[in-house]
Amino acid sequence: MWTSGRMSNAKNLLGLGVSLYFWGLMDLTTTVLSGSARPLTEGQEDNLSDKLHQRMKRSWVWNQFFVLEEYTGTDPLYVGKLHSDMDRGDGSIKYILSGEGAGIVFTIDDTTGDIHAIQRLDREERSQYTLRAQALDRRTGRPMEPESEFIIKIQDINDNEPKFLDGPYIASVPEMSPVGTSVIQVTATDADDPTYGNSARVVYSILQGQPYFSVDSRTGLIRTALMNMDREAKEYYEVIIQAKDMGGQLGGLAGTTTVNITLSDVNDNPPRFPQKHYQMSVLESAPVSSTVGRVVAKDLDEGINAEMKYSLVDGDGLDVFDINTDPNYQVGIITVRKPLSFESKKSYTLKVEGANPHLEMRFLNLGPFRDTTTVHISVEDVDEPPVFEPSFYFVEVPEDVEIGTSIQIISAKDPDVTNNSIRYSIDRSSDPGRFFYVDITSGALMTARPLDREDVSWHNITVLAVELNNPSQVGSVSVTVKVLDVNDNAPEFARFYEAFVCENAKAGQLIQTVSAIDRDDPQEGQHFYYSLAPEAANNPNFTLRDNQDNTAWILTRRSGFRQHEQNTFYLPILISDNGRPVLSSTGTLTVHVCSCDDDGMVMSCNVEAYVLPVSLSRGALIAILACIFVLLVLVLLILSMRRQRKQPYIIDEEENIHENIVRYDDEGGGEEDTEAFDIAAMWNPREAQLVVKNRQDMLPEIESLSRYVPQACVMDNNVHNYVLAKLYEADMDLWAPPFDSLQTYMFEGNGSVAESLSSLQSVTTDSDQSYDYLTDWGPRFKKLAEMYGATDSSGALW
């Protein structure tokens, strides 16, 4: 039987709590005495031998050895002793140790059975080892005892300090929280044995962070310890927590961790404007929705607690200005709501309120959470373009209006205080046909060309108004002209009508239905009246019936039509409308007499069909026409060649075609030239209104319309102003022709003191001027010398 024990006194064994357990075969009766065994008899040994070779029912008893960890001595640490009852101390028994750590951590003396630890033991790495022991006969190697298993437990000492495995910690708590508000719970872990002594009993304490926070010594829960902690005063706190084992007693090991605590914001600060008065300015030309300025209310809170809502609560500009909140910067943006006018109102006063939209009920006593400020806005004057009153014109004019008739007075004024003079013109891109003209000073819109509703029924033109002192300021207005219909178009046949009547037709037979169209559009609708023309009122062959529905029937008056007697009839039909005045036209209906079958189907309407030779085929007709065409082409070719022979084009080798002299036989007539321009219009435009002479040498694109301006609209008699007005009109009109419509001849021609300055008629004068010097200029001036009679020394022209 095995015995195990430690080589120490019984008192030490009892102090360490070591228990000795014995095990053996259940059917053996062995007496155990103080760690030694009684020898077996011979019969008992035989029975034991038989038992070893038979299946034995074994009963295990756990034998435990205890050894302290972290042994620091130099000698191997004695663990315990194994001993077999068969060991007589003569060395015949050999002890063998196997299992966990055998030979590496633990060794056994194979003679005495003493077990030693040869390595440093750490309970936190391994708390126990399971080993097996066996006693063998040293000579035969036969097992003397069955293999036994036992445990060596490592006894703990306080060699590990508490550790915060999740540290450092980050936590937050709302500012102004009540005392005792939970912040975060920290936990420290001690690797020592919690079941043995106080080595793993941890106690928490706070080393840094007082008096703001406290920690529960048992649970590690951190709480607030000071009331009214203000984030705006101090936002971040660094708290150091200590965990100490041994219940916090002297000699215990300790570990620390850091807890970073942030005070989160609450809405405990009302907004305040840093200024009670703001001064801003805006141009009167600022467009709607443009920014005037910004106001901001300061709030010491952050995030949603610092959000602001701005509004206009009072002032005389509530309908002129608006305010919006910028969500990114929490500022109030004042914008223009309606167009401004310096001339109408020069300044505005607004009362702006800024408020927190998100409130906390427990802090309402710190309010009110809103504030107001006053904003003064000055409107600055700018040079504005002319403004039309009204802003849109609609004009109706009959299409038969005479040229130069004033159809509307367009009025614009300078909105500025200076009230500059206005000059009017038409944007020619809106009136490419140049149907209208506007007086430059009065704004009278007049017709410049005949209007025709049937061609253009609507005109959309743009009239421009320009300040005389600042041409860059241009205003515009749209003028819609509706051309009213006048009965100026006679009705006519809708198409060319050609009817057929059979030779066997009876009297009163319908041969054609005619209808008419009219380009006019009377308000009461179109209604046409049909009748035979006066010259055909008593036509013996055909008659007409007006159906009163804008159509008419053509009926035969007799029967017995014969194709060979007369194969075509021309019937004039008078068509009248219902307009004022009544207009009419005559249309001709062509009626062919045809031969028909009994069913009235036309067979032939050509009287020559009876006399044409039957043998003349279509191919023959085509060949005849082709011959005629070829002959015509030959005749044209011959005529063309003969014309070229009569007018040969020969270029002299010495002649430069670019130096030909072109002769003009006309000359400016000066003041005596009454055909070019009536100079009376220059001195008194009013008197020249009734007697106007058009130029015969040049046709202007548009006649001067000054004579059509009413007497109240005519400009001053001052010729200088008249010329300036015309010059301005020419400068502003980008589509005007390149020549001037106003020309003066004051010091030229036969009527002036300087007489004629032209040299074209100088050959007829008595001037003795010699042109012989032209002969010295070479062949290039030969033609010019011949014109003026220059001769060489031999008297011959060259």
Side-chain angles (χ1 to χ4, degrees):
M1 178 174 289
W2 290 96
T3 63
S4 62
R6 295 195 59 153
M7 300 303 293
S8 60
N9 54 52
K11 183 178 179 180
N12 291 336
L13 291 174
L14 292 175
L16 294 175
V18 178
S19 300
L20 299 179
Y21 297 94
F22 302 92
W23 60 277
L25 300 176
M26 298 300 297
D27 53 353
L28 294 180
T29 58
T30 305
T31 302
V32 180
L33 298 174
S34 302
S36 61
R38 183 187 304 173
L40 298 177
T41 63
E42 185 177 353
Q44 291 175 337
E45 291 181 354
D46 293 340
N47 291 335
L48 177 61
S49 177
D50 294 338
K51 297 284 185 179
L52 293 174
H53 296 283
Q54 296 177 5
R55 182 179 182 271
M56 295 180 298
K57 182 178 180 181
R58 303 180 64 184
S59 177
W60 292 91
V61 178
W62 291 90
N63 297 308
Q64 298 185 17
F65 293 93
F66 291 88
V67 60
L68 291 175
E69 65 172 337
E70 303 294 344
Y71 173 71
T72 58
T74 57
D75 297 331
L77 178 63
Y78 179 75
V79 178
K81 183 180 181 65
L82 294 178
H83 184 74
S84 175
D85 290 344
M86 296 182 181
D87 188 358
R88 297 181 178 86
D90 56 358
S92 61
I93 300 301
K94 180 180 181 181
Y95 296 97
I96 298 177
L97 186 66
S98 63
E100 298 175 346
I104 301 175
V105 180
F106 302 99
T107 61
I108 188 171
D109 190 325
D110 61 353
T111 301
T112 63
D114 293 335
I115 301 174
H116 291 82
I118 60 176
Q119 287 190 6
R120 182 178 179 180
L121 302 177
D122 189 352
R123 190 200 68 83
E124 286 72 35
E125 294 182 359
R126 190 161 190 157
S127 61
Q128 65 180 20
Y129 295 85
T130 301
L131 298 160
R132 293 182 299 276
Q134 194 172 22
L136 303 177
D137 190 314
R138 190 179 293 276
R139 292 171 298 176
T140 64
R142 184 171 63 89
M144 302 299 292
E145 293 277 1
E147 188 178 56
S148 175
E149 185 176 89
F150 63 95
I151 297 174
I152 299 177
K153 287 191 175 183
I154 312 301
Q155 192 171 11
D156 184 51
I157 64 173
N158 189 18
D159 61 341
N160 290 280
E161 74 278 1
K163 294 182 179 179
F164 294 92
L165 302 181
D166 298 328
Y169 296 87
I170 298 176
S172 65
V173 62
E175 63 174 330
M176 312 297 289
S177 295
V179 175
T181 302
S182 298
V183 180
I184 191 174
Q185 184 176 11
V186 296
T187 302
T189 302
D190 196 320
D192 294 327
D193 189 358
T195 63
Y196 179 76
N198 294 328
S199 299
R201 183 186 172 190
V202 178
V203 175
Y204 299 94
S205 61
I206 185 168
L207 300 182
Q208 177 180 313
Q210 294 177 333
Y212 306 105
F213 300 95
S214 64
V215 63
D216 189 292
S217 62
R218 185 177 59 86
T219 62
L221 180 62
I222 301 176
R223 294 185 174 91
T224 58
L226 189 65
M227 64 183 303
N228 296 332
M229 287 192 294
D230 191 0
R231 182 196 67 86
E232 289 72 31
K234 185 176 181 180
E235 183 176 3
Y236 300 101
Y237 295 85
E238 185 178 74
V239 179
I240 299 178
I241 303 297
Q242 174 184 269
K244 190 174 184 180
D245 60 11
M246 297 299 291
Q249 298 178 4
L250 185 64
L253 302 180
T256 61
T257 188
T258 301
V259 182
N260 295 311
I261 301 176
T262 302
L263 295 184
S264 59
D265 185 60
V266 297
N267 193 7
D268 59 339
N269 292 280
R272 292 292 179 262
F273 284 100
Q275 298 177 230
K276 287 301 180 181
H277 298 278
Y278 287 85
Q279 185 68 40
M280 301 179 183
S281 62
V282 59
L283 297 176
E284 65 171 333
S285 60
V288 175
S289 299
S290 61
T291 300
V292 178
R294 291 174 170 83
V295 295
V296 58
K298 299 294 184 179
D299 193 328
L300 298 178
D301 298 321
E302 64 180 10
I304 191 174
N305 299 312
E307 288 186 3
M308 205 69 58
K309 175 67 177 178
Y310 295 93
S311 59
L312 301 178
V313 295
D314 197 7
D316 57 357
L318 298 180
D319 58 339
V320 181
F321 299 95
D322 200 357
I323 188 169
N324 301 303
T325 303
D326 186 340
N328 296 322
Y329 300 98
Q330 301 301 322
V331 298
I333 303 175
I334 300 177
T335 57
V336 178
R337 187 175 182 180
K338 290 183 178 181
L340 303 174
S341 176
F342 173 81
E343 292 72 25
S344 300
K345 191 173 179 61
K346 297 179 175 60
S347 64
Y348 296 87
T349 301
L350 300 174
K351 188 175 183 180
V352 180
E353 180 185 79
N356 288 142
H358 307 286
L359 302 178
E360 295 192 27
M361 302 302 297
R362 61 193 180 104
F363 298 119
L364 290 181
N365 59 326
L366 302 177
F369 285 82
R370 63 184 65 245
D371 195 17
T372 59
T373 187
T374 302
V375 179
H376 299 282
I377 301 176
S378 301
V379 180
E380 296 182 358
D381 187 28
V382 296
D383 192 1
E384 298 176 279
V387 178
F388 287 89
E389 294 181 359
S391 59
F392 174 78
Y393 287 89
F394 177 76
V395 183
E396 292 182 339
V397 58
E399 60 178 324
D400 61 347
V401 64
E402 295 183 0
I403 297 176
T405 302
S406 177
I407 61 176
Q408 180 69 47
I409 300 298
I410 308 299
S411 176
K413 67 175 184 178
D414 184 6
D416 299 321
V417 179
T418 56
N419 194 17
N420 293 322
S421 300
I422 306 298
R423 294 295 179 261
Y424 301 92
S425 62
I426 294 179
D427 184 356
R428 286 306 174 190
S429 62
S430 64
D431 184 27
R434 297 184 177 240
F435 289 97
F436 301 95
Y437 172 84
V438 65
D439 186 77
I440 191 171
T441 57
S442 66
L445 183 64
M446 298 171 286
T447 57
R449 290 179 55 188
L451 303 179
D452 190 351
R453 188 202 66 84
E454 288 71 35
D455 291 339
V456 182
S457 59
W458 291 85
H459 297 269
N460 295 307
I461 63 177
T462 301
V463 177
L464 306 178
V466 182
E467 290 185 13
L468 186 60
N469 296 336
N470 188 4
S472 63
Q473 297 298 329
V474 181
S476 63
V477 68
S478 296
V479 181
T480 299
V481 180
K482 180 181 180 181
V483 182
L484 301 178
D485 183 55
V486 174
N487 191 27
D488 57 348
N489 291 279
E492 57 187 13
F493 278 143
R495 59 182 179 84
F496 174 74
Y497 287 103
E498 190 175 21
F500 303 92
V501 61
C502 295
E503 290 181 321
N504 55 1
K506 298 179 180 180
Q509 182 176 341
L510 175 65
I511 63 171
Q512 183 67 49
T513 300
V514 295
S515 62
I517 58 173
D518 194 334
R519 297 181 64 190
D520 295 323
D521 186 18
Q523 295 181 355
E524 62 273 10
Q526 298 279 9
H527 187 74
F528 303 124
Y529 303 95
Y530 300 88
S531 63
L532 294 178
E535 62 271 20
N538 299 320
N539 191 294
N541 301 311
F542 303 98
T543 184
L544 181 145
R545 178 186 298 174
D546 192 340
N547 297 324
Q548 300 300 318
D549 60 354
N550 291 339
T551 64
W553 287 352
I554 309 300
L555 307 173
T556 58
R557 187 185 289 270
R558 65 178 179 87
S559 60
F561 292 94
R562 295 294 179 265
Q563 191 176 21
H564 63 275
E565 294 179 357
Q566 185 174 353
N567 66 329
T568 303
F569 294 91
Y570 298 98
L571 185 63
I573 299 175
L574 181 66
I575 311 170
S576 304
D577 59 16
N578 61 332
R580 296 184 183 86
V582 176
L583 299 180
S584 61
S585 65
T586 301
T588 301
L589 173 65
T590 303
V591 182
H592 297 283
V593 180
C594 303
S595 58
C596 305
D597 56 12
D598 296 337
D599 296 330
M601 300 299 294
V602 177
M603 298 177 58
S604 175
C605 296
N606 191 358
V607 68
E608 296 179 358
Y610 296 100
V611 298
L612 288 175
V614 180
S615 60
L616 189 58
S617 63
R618 182 179 297 177
L621 291 175
I622 295 175
I624 293 174
L625 293 175
C627 293
I628 294 174
F629 178 75
V630 172
L631 291 176
L632 182 60
V633 171
L634 291 175
V635 170
L636 293 176
L637 182 60
I638 293 173
L639 292 176
S640 176
M641 294 178 63
R642 293 184 62 184
R643 180 175 298 178
Q644 292 181 0
R645 290 179 179 178
K646 290 181 178 181
Q647 298 179 357
Y649 183 74
I650 302 175
I651 300 178
D652 191 356
E653 294 181 357
E654 298 180 355
E655 182 179 4
N656 190 341
I657 191 171
H658 296 288
E659 297 178 354
N660 292 338
I661 296 177
V662 180
R663 178 172 179 177
Y664 297 92
D665 291 333
D666 55 346
E667 179 182 1
E671 292 87 339
E672 294 182 356
D673 184 2
T674 59
E675 298 297 332
F677 192 84
D678 189 2
I679 197 63
M682 288 295 298
W683 312 122
N684 193 347
R686 292 188 180 183
E687 295 180 0
Q689 292 178 9
L690 301 178
V691 181
V692 179
K693 291 186 179 181
N694 296 330
R695 294 190 58 169
Q696 298 180 1
D697 57 341
M698 180 172 58
L699 181 61
E701 186 175 352
I702 298 179
E703 298 179 0
S704 176
L705 299 178
S706 300
R707 63 183 181 280
Y708 299 113
V709 182
Q711 193 67 22
C713 300
V714 177
M715 61 193 72
D716 296 338
N717 293 334
N718 189 288
V719 177
H720 179 69
N721 291 341
Y722 182 82
V723 173
L724 288 179
K726 287 299 182 180
L727 178 61
Y728 175 80
E729 179 184 357
D731 291 340
M732 295 300 296
D733 192 352
L734 303 179
W735 291 269
F739 53 82
D740 296 330
S741 60
L742 182 62
Q743 303 180 24
T744 60
Y745 305 92
M746 298 183 63
F747 306 105
E748 176 76 20
N750 296 328
S752 67
V753 179
E755 296 184 351
S756 176
L757 301 180
S758 174
S759 61
L760 296 178
Q761 296 180 356
S762 58
V763 293
T764 60
T765 63
D766 297 334
S767 174
D768 56 355
Q769 182 177 357
S770 174
Y771 296 95
D772 293 341
Y773 60 88
L774 294 176
T775 59
D776 299 333
W777 289 2
R780 300 179 64 180
F781 293 90
K782 178 180 179 181
K783 293 294 182 181
L784 186 61
E786 292 177 354
M787 290 180 58
Y788 288 90
T791 60
D792 56 8
S793 57
S794 61
L797 292 173
W798 59 274

